[in-house]
C-alpha cells in the first residue's frame, strides 16, 4: 500500500509598502520560520516576484522541505481574491493590474491565493483572533487608510469582483468634503485614517489661539496626538472626539446594513484607545438602527498586525484547491 504524504504546512506572505514578510506556518497556526524582503527595493514587479519566490524556496528548504507545503496565501493592499490580482495599489511601487497569484504560482509550482489586507485581517481574526467562533462580524483596519471586511453567516462577503467592504470610501460629508486619496471628496477615510486625523488637528489649531501641547510638537501624528490626550490636552482630546464622531456615524451605517455581532478594530490608529473609542461608541449608538442599539460589541485586536497578517494569509492558503508540481 502506498502511503500518501500529508502536506501539513503552508506559506503565508504579507506584502506591505515597506516590507514583505513570509513564513512557513503549520496547520495549527504555529509560525515555524519567518523571513522578509524590502518591498521598495524592487521597482519592477517581475524582479520582486523572482526574489520573493527564491527566498520562499530557501526558507522552505531549510524548514521541512518543499514536499511538506500544501499552498501559499498572500496578503496585499488593493488585492482581489476573486481576480488573484493587485489592482491599482496606491502604496506599492507597481501600478495597474498585477496578476500576482499566477506569477507566484508559476515560479513556485504551488497553488497561490491572494487577498487584500482587510480580508486577510478578518480571516486572521476569525481563525486565530478575537472573532474566533463568530459568524457575523466586521473587521475595521485603521491606519494609513480605512479598510474593512465583513463575514456574513460564517463566510466573508467579497462582492462581484472582490472589492466589498470599502467603508473608507463611503461619503460622510457631501458638501465641501475633504479630498480623499481615491480622488473623491468627503470620504470617511479622509476624516478617520492617519492623514485625516492630523488634518483635523491642524484645523483645530487654526480655529483658535487656545494653548495646546500639539502646537509644540515637531511632527504631528496620530500617535503624538494621542500622547497629548494622555497628558490631558483638551484640544488633542477634541481631535479624537471629532474623529470618533465621524467613525461612529460611518460604522452605524455599516452595522445597520450588516447587523454584526461585533466590530473588531485593527491597525495602528486603534491604539488611540478610549480617546477614539468613547466618542466612536457614542456616535455609533446615537445613529445605529434602534434594534441593534447596545448590542454590537466593539473589540480591539490583540494581535501584532504583522503576525496576524502572516497567519491570516496562511489561513487563506488552506482555502485554495491544492495544486503542486511536487506531489
Ligand atoms: Zn475615498
Amino acid at each position: 500500500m502506498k502511503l500518501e504524504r500529508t502536506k501539513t504546512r503552508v506559506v503565508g506572505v504579507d506584502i506591505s509598502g515597506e516590507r514583505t514578510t513570509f513564513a512557513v506556518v503549520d496547520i495549527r497556526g504555529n509560525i515555524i520560520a519567518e523571513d522578509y524582503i524590502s518591498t521598495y527595493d524592487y521597482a519592477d514587479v517581475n524582479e520582486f516576484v523572482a526574489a520573493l519566490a527564491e527566498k520562499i524556496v530557501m526558507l522552505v528548504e531549510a524548514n521541512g522541505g518543499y514536499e511538506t507545503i500544501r499552498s501559499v496565501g498572500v496578503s496585499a493592499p488593493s488585492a482581489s481574491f476573486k481576480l488573484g490580482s493587485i489592482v491599482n495599489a496606491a502604496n506599492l511601487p507597481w501600478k495597474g493590474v498585477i496578476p500576482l497569484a499566477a506569477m507566484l504560482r508559476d515560479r513556485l509550482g504551488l497553488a497561490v491565493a491572494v487577498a487584500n489586507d482587510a480580508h486577510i485581517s478578518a480571516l486572521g481574526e476569525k481563525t486565530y483572533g478575537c472573532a474566533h467562533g463568530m459568524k457575523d462580524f466586521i473587521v475595521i483596519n485603521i491606519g494609513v487608510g480605512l479598510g474593512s471586511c465583513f463575514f456574513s453567516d460564517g463566510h466573508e462577503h467579497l462582492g462581484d469582483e472582490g472589492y466589498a467592504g470599502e467603508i473608507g470610501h463611503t461619503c460622510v460629508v457631501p458638501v465641501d468634503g475633504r479630498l480623499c486619496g481615491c480622488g473623491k471628496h468627503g470620504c470617511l477615510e479622509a476624516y478617520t485614517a492617519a492623514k485625516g486625523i492630523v488634518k483635523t488637528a491642524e484645523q483645530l489649531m487654526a480655529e483658535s489661539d487656545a494653548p495646546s501641547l500639539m502646537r509644540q510638537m515637531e511632527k504631528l501624528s496620530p500617535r503624538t496626538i494621542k500622547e497629548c490626550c494622555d497628558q490631558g490636552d483638551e484640544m488633542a482630546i477634541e481631535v479624537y472626539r471629532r474623529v470618533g464622531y465621524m467613525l461612529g456615524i460611518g460604522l452605524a451605517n455599516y452595522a445597520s446594513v450588516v447587523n454584526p455581532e461585533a466590530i473588531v478594530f485593527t491597525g495602528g490608529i486603534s491604539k488611540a484607545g478610549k480617546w477614539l473609542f468613547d466618542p466612536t461608541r457614542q456616535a455609533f449608538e446615537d445613529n445605529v438602527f434602534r434594534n441593534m442599539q447596545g448590542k454590537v460589541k466593539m473589540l480591539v485586536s490583540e494581535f501584532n498586525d504583522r503576525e496576524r497578517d502572516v497567519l491570516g494569509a496562511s489561513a487563506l492558503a488552506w482555502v485554495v484547491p491544492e495544486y503542486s508540481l511536487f506531489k
Side-chain angles (χ1 to χ4, degrees):
M1 189 178 80
K2 184 170 168 270
L3 281 176
E4 186 97 8
R5 196 191 293 270
T6 314
K7 295 170 189 286
T8 56
R9 294 175 172 183
V10 293
V11 173
V13 182
D14 175 36
I15 300 176
S16 73
E18 188 187 320
R19 63 160 65 177
T20 295
T21 310
F22 44 95
V24 175
V25 183
D26 75 10
I27 201 163
R28 292 179 190 275
N30 298 305
I31 294 176
I32 308 293
E34 188 178 286
D35 200 357
Y36 71 92
I37 58 174
S38 171
T39 312
Y40 258 94
D41 284 355
Y42 304 93
D44 181 337
V45 70
N46 292 296
E47 286 170 22
F48 169 77
V49 172
L52 177 61
E54 191 185 323
K55 288 279 198 169
I56 287 175
V57 170
M58 283 167 65
L59 189 74
V60 165
E61 291 295 356
N63 293 278
Y66 228 75
E67 58 279 8
T68 64
I69 303 294
R70 182 191 178 276
S71 45
V72 180
V74 184
S75 166
S78 304
S80 163
F81 174 69
K82 291 197 171 178
L83 304 177
S85 301
I86 299 173
V87 184
N88 301 326
N91 301 313
L92 289 178
W94 327 297
K95 301 306 162 207
V97 180
I98 315 285
L100 192 76
M103 291 170 80
L104 205 51
R105 182 196 62 208
D106 290 348
R107 294 255 176 199
L108 292 172
L110 292 168
V112 178
V114 174
N116 68 57
D117 33 14
H119 180 182
I120 291 291
S121 295
L123 259 179
E125 294 296 341
K126 178 165 174 62
T127 314
Y128 303 112
C130 59
H132 191 69
M134 290 185 193
K135 288 184 138 188
D136 294 86
F137 63 95
I138 295 172
V139 170
I140 297 279
N141 191 303
I142 325 175
V144 176
L146 183 75
S148 95
C149 176
F150 69 97
F151 271 65
S152 174
D153 203 21
H155 300 284
E156 58 271 64
H157 180 95
L158 299 178
D160 182 32
E161 291 196 329
Y163 302 129
E166 287 292 359
I167 182 71
H169 303 290
T170 55
C171 185
V172 285
V173 183
V175 179
D176 295 331
R178 287 179 188 169
L179 178 63
C180 178
C182 75
K184 295 197 302 153
H185 285 83
C187 290
L188 183 62
E189 176 173 302
Y191 295 85
T192 56
K195 269 189 200 160
I197 295 171
V198 171
K199 182 141 198 180
T200 298
E202 288 167 352
Q203 280 182 346
L204 265 162
M205 287 192 287
E207 277 173 21
S208 79
D209 294 327
S212 169
L213 293 170
M214 292 194 298
R215 297 188 193 279
Q216 293 142 35
M217 289 282 163
E218 210 165 275
K219 191 173 181 294
L220 273 181
S221 71
R223 185 175 57 81
T224 56
I225 296 166
K226 188 255 181 193
E227 286 164 5
C228 294
C229 294
D230 291 339
Q231 293 179 57
D233 188 89
E234 195 44 52
M235 196 183 286
I237 292 170
E238 178 63 17
V239 172
Y240 274 110
R241 214 176 272 141
R242 291 191 186 184
V243 172
Y245 174 75
M246 287 296 197
L247 186 60
I249 289 178
L251 294 181
N253 291 338
Y254 198 169
S256 297
V257 174
V258 173
N259 188 15
E261 174 184 345
I263 299 174
V264 179
F265 295 93
T266 71
I269 310 292
S270 59
K271 295 186 174 64
K274 67 174 179 180
W275 306 116
L276 173 63
F277 292 121
D278 285 356
T280 299
R281 168 62 84 176
Q282 180 72 48
F284 179 85
E285 297 297 352
D286 288 347
N287 290 283
V288 76
F289 179 58
R290 201 174 56 178
N291 293 358
M292 299 179 202
Q293 274 172 348
K295 291 182 183 166
V296 181
K297 292 175 226 159
M298 289 191 182
L299 307 169
V300 178
S301 170
E302 291 164 1
F303 264 122
N304 159 309
D305 285 346
R306 189 162 286 148
E307 185 184 61
R308 194 251 339 282
D309 288 347
V310 164
L311 287 177
S314 79
L316 183 76
W318 292 105
V319 174
V320 279
E322 197 170 332
Y323 154 85
S324 176
L325 296 177
F326 304 90
K327 288 255 189 213

